[in-house]
Amino acid sequence: KSKSQQKGHFLFFNDTINTQVQRDLLLESELHLAIANNELDVLYQPQINAATGLIYGVEALVRWYNPKLGHVSPVEFIQVAEDVGIINDIGNFVIKKSLQDILQFNNCSNTQLHLSINISPKQLMEPDFVSNVINLTHEMAVDNRLVTLEITENVLINDLAKVQPVLQSIRDSGMKLSLDDFGTGYSSLSYLSNLPIDEIKIDRSFIDKLLTNDQSESLVKTIIAIGQFCDLTVIAEGVETKEQYDHLRHYRCDLVQGYYFDRPLSLTALMASYQTSRISHEA
Ligand code: C2E
Ligand code: MG
Ligand code: MG
Ligand code: MG
């Protein structure tokens, strides 16, 4: 390589870094305004009872569209929101909006959908988190037993002595707890029997390789067996094919969720698919 090419490469690399830094800064400043500017939305991905094929509930998934940045993935902006200390504003927005929406769905439907909400570690450990959620469900007259909070295993390795009472107060309220992305973190089996967990959610990466990798298949079977043994609901995420669904049903996985059934849907689309079909089903 000539010197000029190397230099050119170096400059290009530098520009890339600058652009990344600029994007991060823009993202951070725009995120502060996202709620006020009405840029956040919540979509709902159906969770299907594997034994009956009927909808059991939905997972709320936040979306952010910003005119300057376009669509930004929650994987990216939730982390930023945690870092800059605005995760509670965003979390509260998602909780309020999804409770409202589920109420609207359930009020004009025979089916009572359950609602799963992702809770980030910082949000969970905020001093008033649980009482705020309970106040909201109470004000809105949403049955706590319909609400599941999804947390990740990473929460548990942090500060178990602090996490334990928070989880217990969630359990005491009637809400359920799900361990999201199960199998990817550091959770030990003892957590499953010692902590008030109701559900484990097998990570998408294992479902991906379910039919192509023997080890993944054994793992999925084992997780389902452990779930049954510990009296936990087992849900599989990222189910994309009929074959995966058939296998999971065969292993007696309780719930399934993924593109094979539905992408995350707007409330309107959810109602169109699951309220009308239900009514015509029963007519
Ligand atoms: P997650 O909770 O594990 O959510 C599952 C992700 O997989 C979602 O991505 C969903 O759209 C996607 N997905 C669902 N089915 C399939 C499938 O069949 N194939 C594939 N390839 N993907 C599928 P999404 O919506 O981009 O969310 C990504 C992550 O961002 C979530 O992972 C969750 O950790 C976080 N997140 C999303 N919404 C919220 C929120 O309101 N609060 C918090 N704290 N985190 C959120
Ligand atoms: Mg989740
Ligand atoms: Mg997940
Ligand atoms: Mg996942």
CSV table of all heavy atoms in Angstrom, one decimal, residues 42 45 59-63 73-78 82 87 90-91 94-95 117-121 123 150 152 180-181 201 203-204 208 237-240 244 257-260 262-264, ligand 1:
chain,number,residue,atom,x,y,z
A,42,VAL,N,-45.4,1.9,21.1
A,42,VAL,CA,-45.3,0.6,21.7
A,42,VAL,C,-46.0,-0.4,20.7
A,42,VAL,O,-47.2,-0.2,20.3
A,42,VAL,CB,-45.9,0.4,23.1
A,42,VAL,CG1,-45.7,-1.0,23.7
A,42,VAL,CG2,-45.3,1.5,24.0
A,45,GLN,N,-46.3,-8.0,20.4
A,45,GLN,CA,-46.1,-9.3,19.8
A,45,GLN,C,-46.8,-10.4,20.5
A,45,GLN,O,-46.6,-10.6,21.7
A,45,GLN,CB,-44.6,-9.6,19.7
A,45,GLN,CG,-44.4,-10.9,18.8
A,45,GLN,CD,-42.9,-11.2,18.5
A,45,GLN,OE1,-42.1,-11.1,19.4
A,45,GLN,NE2,-42.6,-11.7,17.3
A,59,GLU,N,-46.3,-9.3,24.2
A,59,GLU,CA,-45.1,-8.6,24.8
A,59,GLU,C,-45.1,-7.2,24.3
A,59,GLU,O,-45.1,-7.0,23.0
A,59,GLU,CB,-43.8,-9.3,24.5
A,59,GLU,CG,-42.6,-8.6,25.0
A,59,GLU,CD,-41.2,-9.2,24.8
A,59,GLU,OE1,-41.2,-10.2,24.0
A,59,GLU,OE2,-40.2,-8.8,25.3
A,60,ALA,N,-45.0,-6.2,25.1
A,60,ALA,CA,-44.9,-4.8,24.7
A,60,ALA,C,-43.4,-4.6,24.3
A,60,ALA,O,-42.5,-4.9,25.0
A,60,ALA,CB,-45.3,-3.9,25.9
A,61,LEU,N,-43.2,-4.0,23.1
A,61,LEU,CA,-41.9,-3.7,22.6
A,61,LEU,C,-41.9,-2.2,22.2
A,61,LEU,O,-42.6,-1.8,21.3
A,61,LEU,CB,-41.5,-4.6,21.4
A,61,LEU,CG,-41.4,-6.1,21.9
A,61,LEU,CD1,-41.5,-7.0,20.7
A,61,LEU,CD2,-40.0,-6.3,22.6
A,62,VAL,N,-41.0,-1.4,22.8
A,62,VAL,CA,-41.0,0.0,22.5
A,62,VAL,C,-40.3,0.3,21.1
A,62,VAL,O,-39.5,-0.5,20.7
A,62,VAL,CB,-40.2,0.7,23.6
A,62,VAL,CG1,-38.7,0.4,23.6
A,62,VAL,CG2,-40.4,2.3,23.5
A,63,ARG,N,-40.8,1.3,20.5
A,63,ARG,CA,-40.3,1.7,19.2
A,63,ARG,C,-40.0,3.2,19.2
A,63,ARG,O,-40.7,4.0,19.9
A,63,ARG,CB,-41.3,1.5,18.1
A,63,ARG,CG,-41.5,0.0,17.8
A,63,ARG,CD,-40.2,-0.6,17.2
A,63,ARG,NE,-40.3,-2.1,16.9
A,63,ARG,CZ,-39.9,-3.0,17.8
A,63,ARG,NH1,-39.3,-2.7,18.9
A,63,ARG,NH2,-40.0,-4.3,17.5
A,73,SER,N,-33.1,1.2,17.1
A,73,SER,CA,-33.4,0.0,17.8
A,73,SER,C,-33.4,0.2,19.3
A,73,SER,O,-32.6,0.9,19.9
A,73,SER,CB,-32.4,-1.1,17.4
A,73,SER,OG,-32.5,-2.2,18.4
A,74,PRO,N,-34.4,-0.5,20.0
A,74,PRO,CA,-34.4,-0.4,21.5
A,74,PRO,C,-33.1,-0.9,22.1
A,74,PRO,O,-32.7,-0.5,23.1
A,74,PRO,CB,-35.6,-1.2,21.9
A,74,PRO,CG,-36.0,-2.0,20.7
A,74,PRO,CD,-35.5,-1.3,19.5
A,75,VAL,N,-32.5,-1.9,21.4
A,75,VAL,CA,-31.2,-2.5,21.9
A,75,VAL,C,-30.2,-1.3,22.1
A,75,VAL,O,-29.5,-1.3,23.1
A,75,VAL,CB,-30.7,-3.5,20.9
A,75,VAL,CG1,-29.3,-4.1,21.5
A,75,VAL,CG2,-31.6,-4.6,20.7
A,76,GLU,N,-30.3,-0.3,21.1
A,76,GLU,CA,-29.3,0.8,21.2
A,76,GLU,C,-29.8,1.8,22.2
A,76,GLU,O,-29.1,2.3,23.1
A,76,GLU,CB,-29.2,1.4,19.8
A,76,GLU,CG,-28.1,2.5,19.8
A,76,GLU,CD,-27.9,3.0,18.4
A,76,GLU,OE1,-28.7,2.7,17.4
A,76,GLU,OE2,-26.9,3.7,18.2
A,77,PHE,N,-31.1,2.3,22.1
A,77,PHE,CA,-31.4,3.5,22.9
A,77,PHE,C,-31.8,3.2,24.3
A,77,PHE,O,-31.7,4.0,25.2
A,77,PHE,CB,-32.5,4.3,22.2
A,77,PHE,CG,-33.9,3.8,22.2
A,77,PHE,CD1,-34.7,3.9,23.3
A,77,PHE,CD2,-34.4,3.2,21.0
A,77,PHE,CE1,-36.0,3.4,23.2
A,77,PHE,CE2,-35.7,2.8,21.0
A,77,PHE,CZ,-36.5,2.9,22.1
A,78,ILE,N,-32.2,1.9,24.6
A,78,ILE,CA,-32.5,1.6,26.0
A,78,ILE,C,-31.2,1.7,26.8
A,78,ILE,O,-31.1,2.2,28.0
A,78,ILE,CB,-33.1,0.2,26.2
A,78,ILE,CG1,-34.5,0.1,25.6
A,78,ILE,CG2,-33.1,-0.3,27.6
A,78,ILE,CD1,-35.5,0.9,26.3
A,82,GLU,N,-30.4,4.2,29.9
A,82,GLU,CA,-29.9,3.8,31.2
A,82,GLU,C,-28.7,4.7,31.6
A,82,GLU,O,-28.6,5.2,32.7
A,82,GLU,CB,-29.5,2.3,31.2
A,82,GLU,CG,-30.6,1.4,31.3
A,82,GLU,CD,-30.2,0.1,32.1
A,82,GLU,OE1,-29.0,-0.1,32.4
A,82,GLU,OE2,-31.1,-0.7,32.4
A,87,ILE,N,-34.0,6.3,31.8
A,87,ILE,CA,-34.7,5.0,31.6
A,87,ILE,C,-36.1,5.0,32.3
A,87,ILE,O,-37.0,4.4,31.8
A,87,ILE,CB,-33.8,3.8,32.0
A,87,ILE,CG1,-34.5,2.5,31.6
A,87,ILE,CG2,-33.6,3.8,33.5
A,87,ILE,CD1,-34.7,2.3,30.1
A,90,ILE,N,-38.7,6.7,30.1
A,90,ILE,CA,-39.1,5.9,29.0
A,90,ILE,C,-39.9,4.6,29.5
A,90,ILE,O,-40.9,4.2,28.9
A,90,ILE,CB,-37.8,5.5,28.2
A,90,ILE,CG1,-37.3,6.8,27.5
A,90,ILE,CG2,-38.1,4.4,27.2
A,90,ILE,CD1,-36.1,6.6,26.7
A,91,GLY,N,-39.3,4.0,30.5
A,91,GLY,CA,-40.0,2.9,31.1
A,91,GLY,C,-41.4,3.2,31.5
A,91,GLY,O,-42.3,2.4,31.2
A,94,VAL,N,-43.7,3.4,28.6
A,94,VAL,CA,-44.1,2.1,28.0
A,94,VAL,C,-45.1,1.4,28.9
A,94,VAL,O,-46.1,0.8,28.5
A,94,VAL,CB,-42.8,1.2,27.9
A,94,VAL,CG1,-43.2,-0.3,27.5
A,94,VAL,CG2,-41.9,1.8,26.8
A,95,ILE,N,-44.9,1.5,30.3
A,95,ILE,CA,-45.8,0.8,31.2
A,95,ILE,C,-47.2,1.4,31.0
A,95,ILE,O,-48.2,0.7,30.9
A,95,ILE,CB,-45.3,1.0,32.6
A,95,ILE,CG1,-44.0,0.1,32.8
A,95,ILE,CG2,-46.4,0.4,33.6
A,95,ILE,CD1,-43.3,0.4,34.1
A,117,ILE,N,-44.1,-6.9,30.0
A,117,ILE,CA,-43.4,-5.6,29.8
A,117,ILE,C,-41.9,-5.8,30.2
A,117,ILE,O,-41.6,-6.4,31.2
A,117,ILE,CB,-43.9,-4.5,30.7
A,117,ILE,CG1,-45.5,-4.4,30.6
A,117,ILE,CG2,-43.3,-3.2,30.4
A,117,ILE,CD1,-46.1,-3.5,31.6
A,118,ASN,N,-41.0,-5.4,29.3
A,118,ASN,CA,-39.5,-5.5,29.6
A,118,ASN,C,-39.1,-4.4,30.6
A,118,ASN,O,-39.4,-3.3,30.4
A,118,ASN,CB,-38.7,-5.3,28.3
A,118,ASN,CG,-38.9,-6.5,27.3
A,118,ASN,OD1,-38.5,-7.6,27.6
A,118,ASN,ND2,-39.7,-6.3,26.3
A,119,ILE,N,-38.4,-4.8,31.6
A,119,ILE,CA,-37.9,-3.9,32.6
A,119,ILE,C,-36.4,-4.0,32.7
A,119,ILE,O,-35.8,-5.0,32.9
A,119,ILE,CB,-38.5,-4.2,34.0
A,119,ILE,CG1,-40.1,-4.4,34.0
A,119,ILE,CG2,-38.1,-3.2,35.1
A,119,ILE,CD1,-40.8,-3.1,33.6
A,120,SER,N,-35.8,-2.8,32.4
A,120,SER,CA,-34.3,-2.9,32.5
A,120,SER,C,-33.8,-2.8,33.9
A,120,SER,O,-34.5,-2.4,34.8
A,120,SER,CB,-33.8,-1.7,31.7
A,120,SER,OG,-33.8,-0.5,32.4
A,121,PRO,N,-32.6,-3.3,34.1
A,121,PRO,CA,-32.1,-3.5,35.5
A,121,PRO,C,-32.1,-2.2,36.3
A,121,PRO,O,-32.6,-2.2,37.5
A,121,PRO,CB,-30.6,-3.9,35.3
A,121,PRO,CG,-30.6,-4.6,34.0
A,121,PRO,CD,-31.7,-3.9,33.1
A,123,GLN,N,-34.1,0.4,36.0
A,123,GLN,CA,-35.5,0.7,36.2
A,123,GLN,C,-36.0,-0.1,37.4
A,123,GLN,O,-36.7,0.4,38.2
A,123,GLN,CB,-36.2,0.4,34.9
A,123,GLN,CG,-37.6,0.9,34.7
A,123,GLN,CD,-38.2,0.3,33.5
A,123,GLN,OE1,-37.6,-0.3,32.6
A,123,GLN,NE2,-39.5,0.6,33.3
A,150,GLU,N,-40.7,-8.7,32.5
A,150,GLU,CA,-39.6,-9.5,32.0
A,150,GLU,C,-38.3,-8.8,32.5
A,150,GLU,O,-38.1,-7.6,32.2
A,150,GLU,CB,-39.6,-9.5,30.5
A,150,GLU,CG,-40.8,-10.3,29.9
A,150,GLU,CD,-40.6,-10.6,28.4
A,150,GLU,OE1,-39.6,-10.2,27.8
A,150,GLU,OE2,-41.6,-11.1,27.8
A,152,THR,N,-33.9,-9.6,33.0
A,152,THR,CA,-32.9,-10.5,32.5
A,152,THR,C,-32.0,-11.0,33.6
A,152,THR,O,-32.0,-10.5,34.7
A,152,THR,CB,-31.9,-9.7,31.5
A,152,THR,OG1,-31.4,-8.6,32.1
A,152,THR,CG2,-32.6,-9.4,30.2
A,180,ASP,N,-36.1,-13.3,31.0
A,180,ASP,CA,-35.9,-13.1,29.6
A,180,ASP,C,-34.5,-13.6,29.1
A,180,ASP,O,-33.6,-13.6,29.9
A,180,ASP,CB,-36.1,-11.6,29.3
A,180,ASP,CG,-36.5,-11.3,27.8
A,180,ASP,OD1,-36.5,-12.3,27.0
A,180,ASP,OD2,-36.7,-10.1,27.5
A,181,ASP,N,-34.4,-13.9,27.9
A,181,ASP,CA,-33.2,-14.3,27.3
A,181,ASP,C,-32.5,-15.5,28.1
A,181,ASP,O,-31.3,-15.5,28.2
A,181,ASP,CB,-32.2,-13.1,27.2
A,181,ASP,CG,-32.8,-12.0,26.4
A,181,ASP,OD1,-33.7,-12.2,25.6
A,181,ASP,OD2,-32.4,-10.8,26.6
A,201,LYS,N,-38.0,-17.6,29.8
A,201,LYS,CA,-38.1,-17.3,28.3
A,201,LYS,C,-36.8,-17.8,27.6
A,201,LYS,O,-35.8,-17.1,27.8
A,201,LYS,CB,-38.4,-15.8,28.1
A,201,LYS,CG,-38.9,-15.5,26.8
A,201,LYS,CD,-39.5,-14.1,26.8
A,201,LYS,CE,-40.4,-13.9,25.6
A,201,LYS,NZ,-40.9,-12.5,25.5
A,203,ASP,N,-34.0,-18.1,25.2
A,203,ASP,CA,-33.5,-17.1,24.3
A,203,ASP,C,-33.6,-17.6,22.8
A,203,ASP,O,-33.4,-18.8,22.5
A,203,ASP,CB,-32.0,-16.8,24.6
A,203,ASP,CG,-31.5,-15.6,23.8
A,203,ASP,OD1,-32.1,-14.5,24.0
A,203,ASP,OD2,-30.6,-15.8,23.0
A,204,ARG,N,-33.8,-16.6,22.0
A,204,ARG,CA,-34.0,-16.8,20.6
A,204,ARG,C,-32.8,-17.6,19.9
A,204,ARG,O,-33.0,-18.4,19.0
A,204,ARG,CB,-34.0,-15.4,19.9
A,204,ARG,CG,-34.5,-15.4,18.5
A,204,ARG,CD,-34.8,-14.0,18.2
A,204,ARG,NE,-33.6,-13.2,17.8
A,204,ARG,CZ,-33.4,-11.9,18.0
A,204,ARG,NH1,-34.4,-11.2,18.6
A,204,ARG,NH2,-32.3,-11.3,17.7
A,208,ASP,N,-33.2,-20.6,17.3
A,208,ASP,CA,-32.6,-20.5,16.0
A,208,ASP,C,-31.9,-21.8,15.5
A,208,ASP,O,-32.0,-22.2,14.4
A,208,ASP,CB,-31.4,-19.5,16.1
A,208,ASP,CG,-31.8,-18.1,15.4
A,208,ASP,OD1,-32.9,-18.1,14.8
A,208,ASP,OD2,-30.9,-17.2,15.5
A,237,GLU,N,-38.9,-17.7,22.6
A,237,GLU,CA,-39.0,-16.5,21.8
A,237,GLU,C,-38.3,-16.8,20.4
A,237,GLU,O,-37.4,-17.7,20.3
A,237,GLU,CB,-38.4,-15.3,22.5
A,237,GLU,CG,-36.9,-15.4,22.7
A,237,GLU,CD,-36.3,-14.2,23.3
A,237,GLU,OE1,-37.0,-13.2,23.7
A,237,GLU,OE2,-35.0,-14.1,23.5
A,238,GLY,N,-38.6,-16.0,19.4
A,238,GLY,CA,-37.9,-16.1,18.1
A,238,GLY,C,-38.3,-17.4,17.3
A,238,GLY,O,-37.5,-17.9,16.6
A,239,VAL,N,-39.5,-17.9,17.5
A,239,VAL,CA,-40.0,-19.0,16.7
A,239,VAL,C,-40.3,-18.5,15.3
A,239,VAL,O,-41.2,-17.7,15.1
A,239,VAL,CB,-41.2,-19.7,17.4
A,239,VAL,CG1,-41.7,-20.9,16.5
A,239,VAL,CG2,-40.9,-20.1,18.8
A,240,GLU,N,-39.6,-19.0,14.3
A,240,GLU,CA,-39.8,-18.5,13.0
A,240,GLU,C,-40.4,-19.5,12.0
A,240,GLU,O,-40.8,-19.1,10.9
A,240,GLU,CB,-38.4,-18.0,12.4
A,240,GLU,CG,-37.9,-16.7,13.2
A,240,GLU,CD,-36.7,-16.1,12.6
A,240,GLU,OE1,-36.1,-16.8,11.7
A,240,GLU,OE2,-36.2,-15.0,13.1
A,244,GLN,N,-39.9,-25.5,13.9
A,244,GLN,CA,-39.5,-25.1,15.3
A,244,GLN,C,-40.8,-25.2,16.2
A,244,GLN,O,-40.7,-25.7,17.4
A,244,GLN,CB,-39.0,-23.7,15.3
A,244,GLN,CG,-37.6,-23.6,14.6
A,244,GLN,CD,-37.2,-22.1,14.4
A,244,GLN,OE1,-38.1,-21.2,14.5
A,244,GLN,NE2,-36.0,-21.9,14.1
A,257,GLN,N,-43.6,-17.6,20.8
A,257,GLN,CA,-43.7,-16.2,20.3
A,257,GLN,C,-42.6,-16.1,19.2
A,257,GLN,O,-41.5,-16.6,19.3
A,257,GLN,CB,-43.3,-15.3,21.5
A,257,GLN,CG,-43.3,-13.8,21.2
A,257,GLN,CD,-42.9,-12.9,22.4
A,257,GLN,OE1,-42.8,-13.4,23.5
A,257,GLN,NE2,-42.6,-11.7,22.1
A,258,GLY,N,-43.0,-15.4,18.1
A,258,GLY,CA,-42.0,-15.2,17.1
A,258,GLY,C,-42.7,-14.9,15.7
A,258,GLY,O,-43.9,-14.9,15.6
A,259,TYR,N,-41.8,-14.6,14.8
A,259,TYR,CA,-42.3,-14.2,13.5
A,259,TYR,C,-43.2,-15.2,12.8
A,259,TYR,O,-44.0,-14.9,11.9
A,259,TYR,CB,-41.1,-13.8,12.5
A,259,TYR,CG,-40.3,-12.7,13.0
A,259,TYR,CD1,-39.0,-12.4,12.4
A,259,TYR,CD2,-40.7,-11.8,13.9
A,259,TYR,CE1,-38.2,-11.4,12.7
A,259,TYR,CE2,-39.9,-10.7,14.3
A,259,TYR,CZ,-38.7,-10.5,13.7
A,259,TYR,OH,-37.9,-9.5,14.1
A,260,TYR,N,-43.0,-16.5,13.1
A,260,TYR,CA,-43.9,-17.5,12.5
A,260,TYR,C,-45.4,-17.2,12.8
A,260,TYR,O,-46.3,-17.4,12.0
A,260,TYR,CB,-43.6,-18.9,13.0
A,260,TYR,CG,-44.5,-20.0,12.5
A,260,TYR,CD1,-44.6,-20.3,11.2
A,260,TYR,CD2,-45.4,-20.6,13.4
A,260,TYR,CE1,-45.5,-21.2,10.7
A,260,TYR,CE2,-46.2,-21.6,12.9
A,260,TYR,CZ,-46.3,-21.9,11.6
A,260,TYR,OH,-47.2,-22.8,11.1
A,262,ASP,N,-46.5,-13.9,14.5
A,262,ASP,CA,-46.7,-12.5,14.2
A,262,ASP,C,-45.5,-11.7,14.4
A,262,ASP,O,-44.7,-12.1,15.3
A,262,ASP,CB,-47.8,-11.9,15.2
A,262,ASP,CG,-49.2,-12.2,14.7
A,262,ASP,OD1,-49.6,-11.7,13.7
A,262,ASP,OD2,-49.9,-13.0,15.4
A,263,ARG,N,-45.3,-10.7,13.7
A,263,ARG,CA,-44.3,-9.6,14.0
A,263,ARG,C,-44.9,-8.8,15.2
A,263,ARG,O,-46.1,-8.9,15.4
A,263,ARG,CB,-44.1,-8.7,12.8
A,263,ARG,CG,-43.5,-9.5,11.6
A,263,ARG,CD,-42.2,-8.9,11.2
A,263,ARG,NE,-41.5,-9.9,10.4
A,263,ARG,CZ,-40.2,-9.9,10.1
A,263,ARG,NH1,-39.5,-8.9,10.6
A,263,ARG,NH2,-39.7,-10.8,9.4
A,264,PRO,N,-44.2,-8.0,15.8
A,264,PRO,CA,-44.8,-7.0,16.8
A,264,PRO,C,-45.8,-6.1,16.0
A,264,PRO,O,-45.5,-5.7,14.9
A,264,PRO,CB,-43.6,-6.2,17.3
A,264,PRO,CG,-42.4,-7.1,17.1
A,264,PRO,CD,-42.7,-7.9,15.8
B,1,C2E,P1,-36.4,-9.1,24.0
B,1,C2E,O1,-37.2,-8.6,25.2
B,1,C2E,O2,-35.7,-10.4,24.1
B,1,C2E,O3,-37.4,-9.0,22.8
B,1,C2E,C1,-37.4,-9.9,21.7
B,1,C2E,C2,-36.8,-9.2,20.4
B,1,C2E,O4,-36.8,-10.2,19.4
B,1,C2E,C3,-37.7,-8.1,19.9
B,1,C2E,O5,-36.8,-7.2,19.3
B,1,C2E,C4,-38.6,-8.8,18.9
B,1,C2E,O6,-39.1,-7.9,17.9
B,1,C2E,C5,-37.6,-9.7,18.3
B,1,C2E,N1,-38.3,-10.9,17.7
B,1,C2E,C6,-39.5,-11.4,18.0
B,1,C2E,N2,-39.7,-12.5,17.3
B,1,C2E,C7,-38.7,-12.7,16.5
B,1,C2E,C8,-38.3,-13.7,15.5
B,1,C2E,O7,-39.1,-14.7,15.2
B,1,C2E,N3,-37.1,-13.6,14.9
B,1,C2E,C9,-36.3,-12.6,15.2
B,1,C2E,N4,-35.1,-12.6,14.5
B,1,C2E,N5,-36.5,-11.6,16.1
B,1,C2E,C10,-37.7,-11.7,16.8
B,1,C2E,P2,-36.9,-5.6,19.6
B,1,C2E,O8,-38.3,-5.2,19.6
B,1,C2E,O9,-36.0,-4.9,18.6
B,1,C2E,O10,-36.3,-5.5,21.0
B,1,C2E,C11,-35.0,-5.8,21.3
B,1,C2E,C12,-34.7,-5.8,22.8
B,1,C2E,O11,-34.9,-4.4,23.3
B,1,C2E,C13,-35.7,-6.6,23.6
B,1,C2E,O12,-35.3,-7.9,23.6
B,1,C2E,C14,-35.6,-5.9,25.0
B,1,C2E,O13,-34.4,-6.4,25.6
B,1,C2E,C15,-35.3,-4.5,24.6
B,1,C2E,N6,-36.6,-3.8,24.7
B,1,C2E,C16,-37.6,-3.6,23.8
B,1,C2E,N7,-38.6,-2.9,24.3
B,1,C2E,C17,-38.3,-2.5,25.6
B,1,C2E,C18,-38.9,-1.8,26.6
B,1,C2E,O14,-40.0,-1.3,26.5
B,1,C2E,N8,-38.2,-1.6,27.8
B,1,C2E,C19,-36.9,-2.2,27.9
B,1,C2E,N9,-36.3,-2.0,29.1
B,1,C2E,N10,-36.3,-2.9,27.0
B,1,C2E,C20,-37.0,-3.1,25.8
